[in-house]
Amino acid sequence: MTTAKDIMHRGAQWIPAHETLDRAAQLMRELGVGALPISDENERLCGILTDRDIVVGCVAEGRDPARVTAGDMARGTPRWIDANADIGDVLREMQEYQIRRLPVIDDKRLVGMISESDLVRHLADDQIASWAESVYAKSSARRA
């Protein structure tokens, strides 16, 4: 059985909710990632911050990324998956909630992230096609 832990990329890091978006952008650059899980003061997941959030939700609105915090951008209920979850559960979670990045949690600790590139490296072509169709087709329909 392939698990979330088997396909995730390790080394994911939190961005504390109180950190500014300019610091988040710097951390994304340092880590070579386009998204960071946002943690509250108890290191619990309270959102996901993407590079798109910074550009569209802050800069494009004329807001100062040195004054807007990661916590200001956290919206909705963050989704995550247990490290021991089966790959089928990972795909269902990502498809149902139309998400492209999924934090992996083990014993209440962030241990990794699963992104599209992780799926491409570990799944069969038909699984990738099904996942992409459900995630992208629904999100495109919402924008239309």
Side-chain angles (χ1 to χ4, degrees):
M1 172 177 90
T2 302
T3 66
K5 185 176 10 182
D6 296 329
I7 69 166
M8 71 180 190
H9 58 270
R10 300 180 193 289
Q13 290 185 24
W14 298 109
I15 185 80
H18 68 272
E19 284 287 354
T20 59
L21 298 187
D22 60 344
R23 177 61 191 127
Q26 292 165 0
L27 186 56
M28 286 179 189
R29 182 188 63 216
E30 290 167 15
L31 297 173
V33 298
L36 294 169
I38 305 168
S39 70
D40 65 13
E41 62 278 354
N42 297 315
E43 288 198 352
R44 288 185 311 226
L45 182 66
C46 64
I48 302 282
L49 178 68
T50 67
D51 48 8
R52 180 169 166 62
D53 293 331
I54 295 169
V55 172
V56 175
C58 178
V59 176
E61 291 184 4
R63 298 165 71 193
D64 182 356
R67 296 187 181 273
V68 178
T69 67
D72 293 337
M73 301 301 287
R75 293 181 185 86
T77 303
R79 307 305 307 174
W80 56 274
I81 197 84
D82 185 88
N84 296 310
D86 179 81
I87 187 65
D89 295 330
V90 170
L91 292 174
R92 275 188 292 283
E93 185 75 11
M94 294 176 86
Q95 288 170 324
E96 182 176 343
Y97 294 97
Q98 298 176 289
I99 53 179
R100 297 175 181 102
R101 299 168 179 108
L102 189 62
V104 180
I105 307 292
D106 190 14
D107 194 26
K108 299 182 182 178
R109 295 295 222 195
L110 177 68
V111 294
M113 288 280 281
I114 296 174
S115 67
E116 295 165 301
S117 61
D118 297 312
L119 297 179
V120 169
R121 282 194 302 274
H122 293 92
L123 300 179
D125 289 345
D126 61 326
Q127 288 176 301
I128 295 165
S130 175
W131 176 84
E133 180 180 340
S134 68
V135 170
Y136 287 103
K138 290 178 185 174
S139 62
S140 295
R142 272 191 284 165
R143 283 184 283 220

